[in-house]
Amino acid sequence: MTDVSGSLMTEHGRHLSILDRAATWVAWALAGTIFLTVGWFAMAPDDPLGAVSVLTRRGAWMMLLQAAGLAAVTAALATVIAGRRLPDVGTFAAAVGLAMVSLRGGTAGSLLIQWADAAPVSQSSLPIQFALEAIAWFVIVFIARGFSIGVGLWCFGEGSGHAEGEPHSPRGGATHGVKHMLIAAGAALLTFKILSAGLSTRSVQHGQACFVVAASVCIGSYVAYWLVPVRSALWAILSVPFLAVGGYVWARLSPSPGGLPASVPASAFLRVLPIQYIAVGTAAAVAMFWYLYHPVFESANQSHLSSSHASPEGRG
């Protein structure tokens, strides 16, 4: 996806205008600015070289509350700027902001070094603690999405891009969506395992970790959309915590090879921080939905179905 915005379709089936594209870039730049300034002050680890995690900061609950507030404000502002034409732009902006602030801190390897002197029981519980933290970050992203939808409806009404994802047809139903979510999560887990196969002895890098998560979610979303297409990015977003928690549980149950440096995790799933799983994964899920979903095709298909079920008198 070299130019996602060039493939985005509005609810009316037209490409985004130059002004609309400019608005989206302004929204995303604003998200990065907010999180790299105020967000870093609120979420920075106690150790200047530490990773952005609740495990590296005193007052973890206050950190999460502040992050939730910033995510909600960022999502609302992005929706006001670009939400009329682009659904879930607020969710995407909040996820991008969280991902950017995570890049300013250390990697998962630096966190593992801090835990190297911990008791074996504490080390073995680390994947479970990561899984719980991932759920907390996802709650924050979901709160941001709620604010984004609310502000979109308040500012633009039911005809805005945020109302587009509601289940107006069987393709938008919950059963269909759950199938999409499970397929996307399963395909993402498998893709993550394949892409990270050659990283077991390498040091952890932010770029590698984020790329593997983004690629896994994109491929998982593509497979799910091909098999079970949906009308909302919600179901792809919901697959992201399944990837994170499933990966950490997999790491907990897998045997730990010995002889690795403290900075190299025993499992590839531990190479990604919880905040990066959720933030990068959510941004990738939304971007992939923008790339794949074309309402104009669905509108044409619904018109065709309506004409095919018309009365004989109306068919000529």
Side-chain angles (χ1 to χ4, degrees):
M1 293 185 299
T2 56
D3 184 11
V4 173
S5 62
S7 299
L8 302 184
M9 303 291 289
T10 68
E11 65 273 21
H12 301 295
R14 295 194 299 265
H15 290 285
L16 293 178
S17 66
I18 294 177
L19 183 60
D20 292 328
R21 296 187 190 189
T24 61
W25 284 109
V26 169
W28 300 338
L30 180 63
T33 301
I34 290 175
F35 273 93
L36 289 178
T37 54
V38 182
W40 177 250
F41 178 78
M43 301 163 61
D46 295 333
D47 182 355
L49 300 179
V52 177
S53 169
V54 298
L55 302 179
T56 61
R57 183 182 172 92
R58 293 186 299 271
W61 284 108
M62 182 57 64
M63 169 190 173
L64 292 174
L65 288 174
Q66 291 173 334
L70 287 173
V73 170
T74 300
L77 291 175
T79 301
V80 171
I81 294 172
R84 179 183 293 277
R85 308 291 288 171
L86 197 58
D88 286 305
V89 67
T91 308
F92 184 88
V96 167
L98 288 170
M100 292 181 69
V101 79
S102 75
L103 299 179
R104 188 168 175 178
T107 65
S110 66
L111 194 152
L112 293 174
I113 292 176
Q114 295 181 13
W115 281 70
D117 296 331
V121 174
S122 298
Q123 290 186 359
S124 64
S125 68
L126 185 60
I128 303 303
Q129 295 186 55
F130 273 1
L132 294 175
E133 181 179 346
I135 293 173
W137 288 117
F138 182 74
V139 170
I140 289 175
V141 168
F142 214 71
I143 290 173
R145 186 174 189 270
F147 272 81
S148 177
I149 294 174
V151 170
L153 293 175
W154 181 57
C155 292
F156 311 124
E158 293 292 337
S160 69
H162 287 76
E164 167 269 326
E166 295 302 317
H168 296 308
S169 71
R171 297 180 65 187
T175 301
H176 212 72
V178 170
K179 291 179 182 178
H180 181 100
M181 176 188 69
L182 295 177
I183 293 173
L189 270 170
L190 180 60
T191 303
F192 188 103
K193 192 66 176 175
I194 294 173
L195 293 179
S196 59
L199 302 177
S200 58
T201 59
R202 299 182 184 180
S203 61
V204 181
Q205 302 292 331
H206 278 313
Q208 290 176 348
C210 293
F211 170 78
V212 173
V213 172
S216 300
V217 172
C218 284
I219 293 175
S221 297
Y222 183 89
V223 171
Y225 194 87
W226 181 61
L227 295 174
V228 187
V230 292
R231 300 186 62 203
S232 171
L234 170 65
W235 306 107
I237 294 173
L238 289 175
S239 73
V240 174
F242 282 88
L243 168 63
V245 175
Y248 287 137
V249 171
W250 192 328
R252 176 65 179 83
L253 299 179
S254 299
S256 300
L260 293 176
S263 60
V264 178
S267 171
F269 290 106
L270 295 176
R271 304 177 70 87
V272 185
L273 292 168
I275 187 176
Q276 291 176 336
Y277 266 119
I278 301 303
V280 176
T282 299
V286 174
M288 200 62 183
F289 177 78
W290 287 340
Y291 181 77
L292 292 172
Y293 181 60
H294 299 284
V296 65
F297 299 143
E298 184 165 300
S299 298
N301 182 55
Q302 289 177 349
S303 299
H304 174 73
L305 290 176
S306 297
S307 63
S308 65
H309 286 86
S311 61
E313 292 79 7
R315 295 179 185 175

